[in-house]
Each structure stands twice: as structure tokens, then as C-alpha cells.
Amino acid sequence: MKKAYRASLLRFDDAGQPVFDTDGLLVVAPDAQGRERVVDAGSHGAVQPRHPDVAPEHLPGRILAPGFVDMHIHFPQTDIIGAPADGLLPWLENYTFPAETRFAEPAHSAEVAEVFLDELLRHGVTTSLTFATSHPASVDALFAAAQRRQMRLITGKVLQDRHSPDGVRDETERSLADTEDLIRRWHGVDRLGYAITPRFAPTSTEAQLRGAGELAARHADTWIQSHVAENKDEVKWARELFPASRSYLGVYDDFGLMRERAVYAHCIHFDDEDRQLMRATRTAAAVSPTSNLFLGSGFFDFEGAQRVDYLHGLASDVGGGTSFSPFHTMLAAYYVGREGQTKPGLSLAPSRLWWLHTAGAAQALGLTGTIGNLQPGCEADFLVLDPSATPLLARKSANAASLEELLFALIVLGDDRVIERTVIARAG
Ligand code: GUN
Ligand code: FE
């Protein structure tokens, strides 16, 4: 059944520029498969006459906006958010691997999957590219929970067959067979997608990386996700383990793990050759600023990414990241962009930050026109935002003289209180 919502409406055009209708109308209807999609969007005055058959739900003072897309997050790290450590490698050893060990138990995986998806939706995140653990049961649990909620979600079994403790370390042949089995069972089912997931080069043997690359070639529309160039100790370690590769990023290229739909978290300690390689292979960076600030990893070079023009978007990286909230991530990205002592500093426009967490993130995932926007044809994952959710935000948004000022007020002062409703595109 066709439905319409009348409120302010935020979308993005093909160039990534914001389109804002103060009195907007969003019209959604099921497609041939029954999935709800946007069929019309724009100013109420222009759109309403085209749909005389529907009575819109009126949402005065609210903003309709695309659901946020989180390009990199770990569902098994939900409970270790905010675990302090002296940088990435001690954090993995002392908190992350012990926590992930528990996901061998299906019941634990299922329980945390529900908590994780509740948190995403509460914070307005409608799609995430998500790490599970090395245990296939963790992948089954998350896919099953997302499927019940009809969410678009991408995840995969972590591949880590060395330099990892008992309990999370897997075995090369078995890990690749398990991956292919999970691809067959889940990839493309309803709104679910599979990501081939080597944790990072230091915890995989050459044989495992080679096998992952072969799977990525054989299943060309799957995603690939990993980590790269996050922390200087990690970079040094990767360079020692793979001396034949030109750089840490080059390891992934050497094993066939850079292509469209490949997404690497962090991408901080890069040179321009790395950036050119990202561009040439249409590989995307998942920029995770709260995590990078929390773990003291470094500052992503937004100027370098824009100059070389390679795909990138925003991510929480929970549990290294400190918040599920896209508002917190966008604000941290602004801080990181401003930092001008270790790399060029710049001021990311509020609409640019927002794009990097919606339509830009969708583009980086190869999902333009499917999610991350409210243009006709997009799946109807959207948010109802309340720009007066707190007293100070209400003052700031009432006094905003432009769209950029309004978006910046939400980014600086907003959190889950702004998310009044998260709507998932349903089927039937
Ligand atoms: N590098 C390898 N594993 C991880 C992880 O779980 N989190 C982060 N932030 N970096 C990693
Ligand atoms: Fe991560």
C-alpha cells in the first residue's frame, strides 16, 4: 500500500549535494517483490498533486532523512565499548580476543545480535557492514536476527589463522570452506550480503589470504572487509611479515583483495601510491574517527582522500569506536578533518559529513540508488528526526539561518534523542 509522510525532507543529488524541502513529501510504495521503496519525493506542493489517492502522515517540526549507513562495526565488540588500552595491539590482546571467544556459543551470539541491532536502529543506523567473529555461529546469529527485522545488513566470518590465541584462531582450509558455505547460505538472501573478512594481514597466513582472494574472485558481488594502516606498530608488524609487498595496503592487492565492494577500515598511514591504488581498484576506506581518537591511532587524511578522489565514508568501528551514534561519528570526523599538524587540516561541511554517512557510504559500498538516500527507487529505510529533542538543540535549530547551520547543530548537539523513529523498508 502506498504511504506518504509530510515533514521537512533531506536528500542528496547525484553530485552529493544536499536537497532540502522545508515542507516536503515522501511517498513510498511496494515494488514488484513487495519491498517498500521511495516512489516520489520533493516539496509538498509539487509532489502531493501527483498522489491524490494518499493522505500523508503529517509530522510537523520533524525532518525525514535517509537511514545512516555504518561502513565498519564489530557486533561482537558491543560489550567492550570503552575498554582502555595502550593502543591497538594491547587492546586486541587484552579485551577484544577474550570477548570474541564467547561467540563460539550460539546462544551468546544470538543474545548480543539482538542487543546490537537494537542499538543500531535506536541510533538511526539502518545498514551496517559488520564484522562477526571467526565462529560461523556468530554469522548465522547476526544474519538470522537481521533477516527477522528485514534489515539490509552485510557481515562475514572473520578469517584469522595465525598470531591469534586459542578460542578465536581458525584453521586455514576449514575457514575457507566455512566462508564459502556461509556465502551459499546467506549472500543475496532477502536483504543480506556476505563480506569475505580477513581480520587484518598480520593474523592471516599467506595461504588464507590467497584463499580469500580466490573466493572474492569466484563470488564477485560479495563484499570484502578488513583493516589497514590503523596504527604505527601494526604497520611495522605487517611490513615485517610481508616484506615483498610495496606497502601494507599492497599486501591486500597482492592477494587479490582489492576491488569494487572491498572496504578497509582506517587507511590512516598511507602515502599517495596507496591512495592511487585505492582509486584504481575502486576500493573504499571506512573512516572511523571515534575509534582512531580513542585508541590514539592517528588522523585520517580527508584532504588526501579528496585530492586523489578515492571512495571513503564514515564508520563507528564499535568497540574500538566509542559510540553507535552517527552524530558522534560525524562530529569526530569534523575534529579529525580540522587537525592540521600531522596532515593538511580542512573544515568538512556539515552536509558533506552527513553525505559521508548516508549516500556517500552507500556509494562506497556499491549500493547507490539502493540505500543511503531518499530519491525515487531507493529502499524506504528512513528516519524521523526531531530537531528540538533537547533544549539547547531546539534553540540552535530554531535560529539556524541555513541548511548547513541546521545540520551542524544536529551533528554537534545530536544523539539518539534526535532519532524519533527509524523506519525499515518492509516487504509485503
Ligand atoms: N585490527 C584488527 N582487528 C581489529 C579490531 O577488532 N578493531 C580494530 N579497530 N582494529 C583491528
Ligand atoms: Fe574495526
Side-chain angles (χ1 to χ4, degrees):
M1 198 185 72
K2 200 192 261 186
K3 283 184 253 173
Y5 303 84
R6 182 177 181 180
S8 296
L9 174 61
L10 175 68
R11 294 171 290 154
F12 294 90
D13 67 17
D14 291 344
Q17 294 303 306
V19 181
F20 191 72
D21 295 289
T22 306
D23 181 11
L25 193 68
L26 178 71
V27 185
V28 309
D31 66 15
Q33 283 73 46
R35 177 73 53 203
E36 283 184 325
R37 291 183 188 266
V38 177
V39 292
D40 208 346
S43 72
H44 179 265
V47 173
Q48 204 278 330
R50 297 198 283 262
H51 306 276
D53 48 327
V54 279
E57 179 179 350
H58 199 191
L59 298 159
R62 304 300 190 261
I63 302 168
L64 302 166
F68 289 106
V69 176
D70 191 330
M71 286 186 65
H72 176 82
I73 184 165
H74 300 252
F75 106 81
Q77 296 175 13
T78 301
D79 290 326
I80 56 156
I81 196 166
D86 293 333
L88 172 67
L89 300 176
W91 176 82
L92 286 174
E93 190 176 319
N94 296 325
Y95 293 102
T96 313
F97 293 153
E100 292 192 7
T101 298
R102 296 188 59 197
F103 288 75
E105 295 163 41
H108 184 65
S109 293
E111 194 247 330
V112 179
E114 297 296 336
V115 173
F116 172 78
L117 295 177
D118 281 347
E119 277 305 295
L120 285 183
L121 294 172
R122 230 167 53 68
H123 285 93
V125 177
T126 47
T127 288
S128 65
L129 172 58
T130 315
F131 265 58
T133 65
S134 57
H135 317 95
S138 71
V139 179
D140 284 327
L142 186 60
F143 272 139
Q147 186 178 39
R148 281 195 293 277
R149 293 163 193 249
Q150 304 202 29
M151 289 175 72
R152 183 169 283 285
L153 180 128
I154 308 164
T155 189
K157 178 206 129 47
V158 173
L159 299 165
Q160 53 180 125
D161 66 350
R162 67 164 166 173
H163 298 143
S164 307
D166 291 351
V168 293
R169 194 179 59 256
D170 61 12
E171 186 276 313
T172 315
E173 289 306 316
R174 175 80 190 271
S175 72
L176 298 168
D178 284 346
T179 296
E180 194 150 42
D181 176 57
L182 288 163
I183 292 171
R184 292 228 163 83
R185 288 198 290 116
W186 289 109
H187 183 64
V189 174
D190 294 336
R191 303 180 77 196
L192 309 175
Y194 195 85
I196 296 163
T197 308
R199 177 165 215 119
F200 63 158
T203 50
S204 285
T205 59
E206 294 199 5
Q208 194 176 46
L209 292 176
R210 194 172 307 113
E214 286 164 7
L215 285 172
R218 206 148 63 231
H219 302 278
D221 68 342
T222 56
W223 283 264
I224 298 169
Q225 60 178 345
S226 191
H227 298 89
V228 74
E230 174 177 8
N231 164 290
K232 286 195 173 161
D233 293 334
E234 171 218 15
V235 174
K236 184 165 169 282
W237 192 24
R239 301 288 291 121
E240 287 164 9
L241 291 168
F242 298 92
S245 295
R246 191 203 72 85
S247 66
Y248 181 4
L249 184 69
V251 175
Y252 297 115
D253 192 39
D254 293 344
F255 287 99
L257 291 165
M258 295 186 71
R259 60 152 165 77
E260 274 183 41
R261 296 194 166 193
V263 177
Y264 287 85
H266 311 302
C267 302
I268 295 170
H269 305 285
F270 266 13
D271 59 18
D272 265 1
E273 272 195 60
D274 292 321
R275 295 185 184 97
Q276 294 291 355
L277 180 59
M278 295 289 286
R279 181 188 162 89
T281 56
R282 295 195 54 77
T283 298
V287 183
S288 307
T290 73
S291 171
N292 300 154
L293 296 169
F294 184 70
L295 291 171
S297 302
F299 305 97
F300 179 79
D301 185 345
F302 284 98
E303 189 276 337
Q306 290 180 17
R307 177 170 43 77
V308 176
D309 190 22
Y310 70 86
L311 294 167
H312 61 287
L314 294 180
S316 66
D317 191 31
V318 163
T322 49
S323 176
F324 278 81
S325 175
F327 297 109
H328 292 174
T329 299
M330 292 188 284
L331 179 57
Y334 182 80
Y335 296 153
V336 166
R338 283 294 329 133
E339 192 278 333
Q341 311 304 309
T342 66
K343 45 100 186 149
L346 80 186
S347 296
L348 291 161
S351 60
R352 173 81 184 169
L353 291 162
W354 208 292
W355 180 82
L356 286 169
H357 225 333
T358 53
Q363 181 187 86
L365 293 175
L367 290 171
T368 294
T370 302
I371 54 168
N373 210 339
L374 293 177
Q375 299 291 13
C378 288
E379 295 172 347
D381 289 339
F382 65 93
L383 311 175
V384 179
L385 305 180
D386 178 5
S388 58
T390 71
L392 188 57
L393 180 57
R395 283 178 68 84
K396 284 286 293 180
S397 53
N399 291 325
S402 65
L403 175 62
E404 295 296 340
E405 287 189 16
L406 174 63
L407 297 180
F408 218 2
L410 288 160
I411 289 169
V412 173
L413 298 174
D415 55 30
D416 54 300
R417 290 170 292 183
V418 169
I419 312 292
E420 189 168 275
R421 202 191 301 176
T422 301
V423 180
I424 291 294
R426 304 219 160 253

